[in-house]
């Protein structure tokens, strides 16, 4: 695993706050020379045999972004006073990509889905100030892709020129943490593939490398699973609100070409009421009321975890669903198991009694089965923290444990030697603070009030209070969007630019870079909007054009 | 003024919760007969000489909405089980509009901008169950427009038919309060005309009749004012981020044709730092730092209220700006005047001393001048509450006072006999709850936390704790969007459907209609999205299709 200590973030403190790289590179030196792209600017490769088509596509996208972003510098005159300097600046004619390694060239798509410990994302980007060719070197095409993303953030627009005032650049970059994700819930409300693709694009622009897809839940089952098509036929909101195997294949390929692995989740044994629509025999307490006694959200319903037929059904379902995805990982969920649901289910009580076990005992057996089934097809399990902390399930040490209830729970997971992904509700939940969504709740707040600002997540230290050995178990983290009060209408605005803050925390490492964060994040918002993603304004434009002027004590 | 007591809201309680009228009509009876629109369905007028073109346009828009909304009923099967009933239902061939009065026919646009006490918005809509012609009668074309809006909400779509299951309808409707508004701040961040037009459309769909346009502020001055074009030339964010007189004329006409009066605001004497860009001679403490000692937000700067030249300049500016708008009202603002700004300004101190007066004394003189100037061109002043409550300005009793600091302040305003518009931050501020926006404020909440849910505003009683005489002074109310953290990217999602909740409170009257509100508001969100306005989801679709199933105790 790569070093997690930020190496040269302090360098950024001394440079122009309009400097727009996000996440901040881990080693960077810049100058103060103007440089523009020549009209015939090209991105080429050298020494790469059989250039993968997804790398060629990424080059094309990078050129298109540079041509179309048309983002003026975020200063009061939007760069106008630099017109003379830009006019006489030297021109950069080319950026040349090369691989340091000499082995077989893999595609970005192949490298994006490698196991986390095998993923190589580092790169070295050199942009000389004298107009001589810029170079981008990496040990992987995935690294080249990350470097292209950085290159695309260097340029502002003025009078038809793409320019920077900060040449030369020397950047040696690689992520502090291998897992940098974003989670979307497509079960509370449905999101068309086009919305997810736009989100994947945006994720790639800030080097997020994992899409954690909470694809189904108790409210709806939009995933069409081969051999289990009745689940979506009866459990989706409607026939149009589904993800077919072809949709998934297309989405997984789209993500991988952008350096993103898709980890799907079928939450078990809770959050499965939708399965009752087609398989009532597998669900305890379906639609039981009052729902609040049987589930954290309506409708109630959990898999009959002590029923061998249900365990078998679940294993087969997960294996079939997992076959739709290329990732090495698959999430089996495991959060918010409601004890009362099983207490109220005569069948489950009879089965527990016959087996002489408890719910936790049965859950352990259930987990061994489904995780074993996934392991047999090459998939490592991902779970929510309760599986370990609340139910003491005997998990394989390869399991990725997502800590969501509180960041305070991280210590207990690493103390047991398990890998952690930071997904804490007190830091990374994008839905908090919008008020209660259950009906007849006139003055209700959201359960995880207040709103989680970008500042809260940006200030988060993923390694706080951990020993060096424990720190090695921190795999990364992510923002999450649960969609009780969200849909396509507010996807962009509730996610961006906030989700970029965790992207920097887990790429650039803890410690952050407070003085330049807000100006650079403004740049992200403005650039995202230029690219068609509706990131919100974090401040009045007056503030965005005057870095620091709206600070509390300015 | 019309009666503010809801007459027959209780009737709604007994009807299908999928029934989608918003705001709830004040008198309504419905049946349980299916009725569909015939393929050749027409909306005609009878007895109206010289039908105004904006009424003809409104009819065309209504027909287009009915044809294009394609909104399926929000029930689990989306209406499919009614297919047989709809197939055999009687067909409605026409809706006929007529005016009860026989005087000169005015256009919607003319009636929308009348003084509030002269505005007539009531209508009677009858849709028989037997397929005979539906009728819409009113005393005004504005009333006919409101009735058309209601008619457009009656229909769901199934198998190519626009249908209702609840014929016959008999609706006698009129607003409880004459002022039902929405305020947008276009100074913290700029909004293109197209965004405002889309918002005006959405406002008209829920019978909001006033657009309170907080058009300029300290951060930017986008309004191009004839004779004062230097203000926007130097004070707008850029040349594109301006509203030209032609833009304003177009927007005012667009609004009026949709039954909406545009009340512009040029906030004085505070919130005027942008004027210093072109007229530094008129501004005290421009850009003074630390800003928090001189203003509630950066940048600091207030009009030199004791300077006769500045008073004259302001009067002329307001008169010229007011000439761009057709409304009988113009807001001169008056909030958040910072005493320290004037204390620090030697010129103001000298002028106060020479005049032997105080800031409040000078403010009174200032207000008499600018309000008198507006009165001389036929405009009634609108002010924020501090003018009366904090500074005891001697306001004309015609002045509309907006209470924003707290709804508790309403009593003090009506006790002095002034008219009130409810704009309270504790109820109607759409921006609350998104965290602090000033920089370096890592854990800051928004100043008016928490988030103001639709439930909070919907539960608000505009007449609470007031005597009958005082109740007559309540003119209406509105939601407000201050845009420190908003822009075009999240305009729809932060405003809708929340702003519809005040639209119902001030149309249907206090007391609300709790049991049907959430299902009907879901309908508004779904219908708005069908019409291109990105209203958010208030709950998982599972809940939206099952009215009441996600209530707290369901």
């Amino acid at each position: 695993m790569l070093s997690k200590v930020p190496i040269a973030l302090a360098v950024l403190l001394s440079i122009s706050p309009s400097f727009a790289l996000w996440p901040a590179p881990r080693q960077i030196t810049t100058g103060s020379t103007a440089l523009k792209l020549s009209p015939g600017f090209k991105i080429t490769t050298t020494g790469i045999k059989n250039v993968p088509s997804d790398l060629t596509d990424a080059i094309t996208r990078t050129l298109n972004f540079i041509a179309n972003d048309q983002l003026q510098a975020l200063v009061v005159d939007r760069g106008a006073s630099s017109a003379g300097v830009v006019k006489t600046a030297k021109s950069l004619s080319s950026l040349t990509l090369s691989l340091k390694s000499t082995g077989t060239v893999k595609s970005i798509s192949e490298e994006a889905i490698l196991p986390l410990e095998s993923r190589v994302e580092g790169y070295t980007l050199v942009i000389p100030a004298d107009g001589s060719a810029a170079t981008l070197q990496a040990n992987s095409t995935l690294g080249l892709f990350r470097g292209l993303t950085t290159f695309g953030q260097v340029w502002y627009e003025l009078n038809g020129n793409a320019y920077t005032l900060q040449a030369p650049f020397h950047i040696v970059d690689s992520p502090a943490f291998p897992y940098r994700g974003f989670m979307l819930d497509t079960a509370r409300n449905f999101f068309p593939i086009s919305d997810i693709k736009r989100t994947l694009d945006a994720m790639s622009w800030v080097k997020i490398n994992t899409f954690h897809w909470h694809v189904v839940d108790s409210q709806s089952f939009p995933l069409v699973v081969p051999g289990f098509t009745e689940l979506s036929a009866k459990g989706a909101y409607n026939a149009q609100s589904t993800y077919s195997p072809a949709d998934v294949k297309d989405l997984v390929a789209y993500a991988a070409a952008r350096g993103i692995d898709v980890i799907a989740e079928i939450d078990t044994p809770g959050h499965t009421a939708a399965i009752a629509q087609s398989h009532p025999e597998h669900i305890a307490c379906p639609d039981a009321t009052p729902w609040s006694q049987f589930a954290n959200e309506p409708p109630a319903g959990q898999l009959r975890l002590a029923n061998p037929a249900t365990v078998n059904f679940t294993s087969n379902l997960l294996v079939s669903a997992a076959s739709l995805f290329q990732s090495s990982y698959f999430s089996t969920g495991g959060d918010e198991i409601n004890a009362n649901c099983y207490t109220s289910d005569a069948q489950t009580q009879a089965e527990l009694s016959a087996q002489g076990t408890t719910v936790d005992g049965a859950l352990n057996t259930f987990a061994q089965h489904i995780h074993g089934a996934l392991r047999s097809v090459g998939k490592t399990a991902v779970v929510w923290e309760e599986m370990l902390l609340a139910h003491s399930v005997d998990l394989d040490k390869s399991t990725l444990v997502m800590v969501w209830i509180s960041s305070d729970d991280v210590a207990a997971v690493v103390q047991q030697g398990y890998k952690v992904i930071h997904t804490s509700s007190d830091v990374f939940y994008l839905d908090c603070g919008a008020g209660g969504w259950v009906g007849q709740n006139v003055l209700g707040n959201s359960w995880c009030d207040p709103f989680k600002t970008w500042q809260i997540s940006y200030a988060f230290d993923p390694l706080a209070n951990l020993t060096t050995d424990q720190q090695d178990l921190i795999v990364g983290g992510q923002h999450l969007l649960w969609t009780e009060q969200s849909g396509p209408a507010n996807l962009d605005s509730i996610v961006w630019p906030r989700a970029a803050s965790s992207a920097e925390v887990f790429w650039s490492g803890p410690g952050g870079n407070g003085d330049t964060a807000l100006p650079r994040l403004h740049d992200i918002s403005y650039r995202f909007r230029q690219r068609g993603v509706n990131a919100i304004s974090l401040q009045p434009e007056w503030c965005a054009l005057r870095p620091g002027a709206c600070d509390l004590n300015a």
Side-chain angles (χ1 to χ4, degrees), chain A residues 388 394-397 399 401 413-414 416-420 473:
Chain A
L388 187 68
D394 181 25
L395 300 167
D396 190 88
K397 283 289 160 68
T399 309
V401 179
V413 177
V414 295
Q416 296 187 51
Y418 285 93
K419 294 178 182 173
V420 163
L473 294 169

Side-chain angles (χ1 to χ4, degrees), chain A residues 180-356:
Chain A
R180 306 171 308 281
F182 168 70
M183 190 215 79
L184 181 67
D185 159 16
T186 58
R188 271 56 179 248
N189 281 301
F190 180 79
F191 293 79
I193 289 286
S194 59
D195 288 303
I196 303 179
K197 283 187 174 175
R198 189 178 65 257
T199 302
L200 290 166
D201 278 316
M203 290 162 62
S204 76
W205 301 336
V206 290
K207 303 187 174 77
I208 292 175
N209 71 356
T210 309
F211 177 49
H212 171 197
W213 192 0
H214 186 89
V215 60
V216 299
D217 207 297
S218 277
Q219 288 78 11
S220 75
F221 201 103
L223 185 67
V224 181
V225 181
F228 298 82
T229 55
E230 69 277 13
L231 291 171
S232 51
K234 297 201 174 176
Y237 284 132
N238 54 63
Q240 290 72 48
S241 295
T242 56
Y243 304 109
S244 71
D247 288 336
V248 172
K249 187 175 182 184
D250 176 45
L251 196 76
V252 165
Y254 192 92
R258 285 153 183 80
I260 296 170
D261 187 28
V262 181
I263 301 184
E265 174 181 357
I266 292 187
D267 202 347
T268 65
H271 291 272
T272 46
I275 293 175
Q277 302 297 320
S278 52
H279 288 282
E281 71 277 16
H282 292 312
I283 300 299
C285 80
D287 280 324
T289 57
W291 60 262
S292 57
Q293 293 185 18
F294 300 93
N296 284 36
E297 285 183 15
Q302 300 181 164
L303 287 164
R304 285 181 163 137
L305 80 177
N307 176 20
T310 299
V311 175
N312 193 46
F313 166 85
T314 307
S315 288
N316 292 341
L317 169 63
L318 295 181
V319 166
S320 180
S323 74
L324 296 169
F325 298 88
Q326 297 188 302
S327 178
S328 297
Y329 305 91
F330 195 89
S331 173
T332 60
D335 58 321
E336 298 184 322
I337 300 170
N338 185 293
N340 196 44
C341 173
Y342 289 134
T343 303
S344 73
D345 185 51
Q347 180 180 327
T348 296
Q349 290 304 310
E351 286 161 347
L352 291 174
S353 177
Q355 296 165 34

Side-chain angles (χ1 to χ4, degrees), chain A residues 2 10 57 72 95 124 130 133 138 141 144 196 219 242 267 278 284 305 307 336 391 438 454 461-462 479 506 509 546:
Chain A
L2 295 161
D57 292 345
Q72 297 177 320
L95 169 68
T124 299
D130 63 358
T141 55
L144 291 176
I196 303 179
Q219 288 78 11
T242 56
D267 202 347
S278 52
L305 80 177
N307 176 20
E336 298 184 322
H391 306 293
V438 295
W454 74 265
D461 180 355
H479 271 86
F506 293 104
R546 293 166 180 82

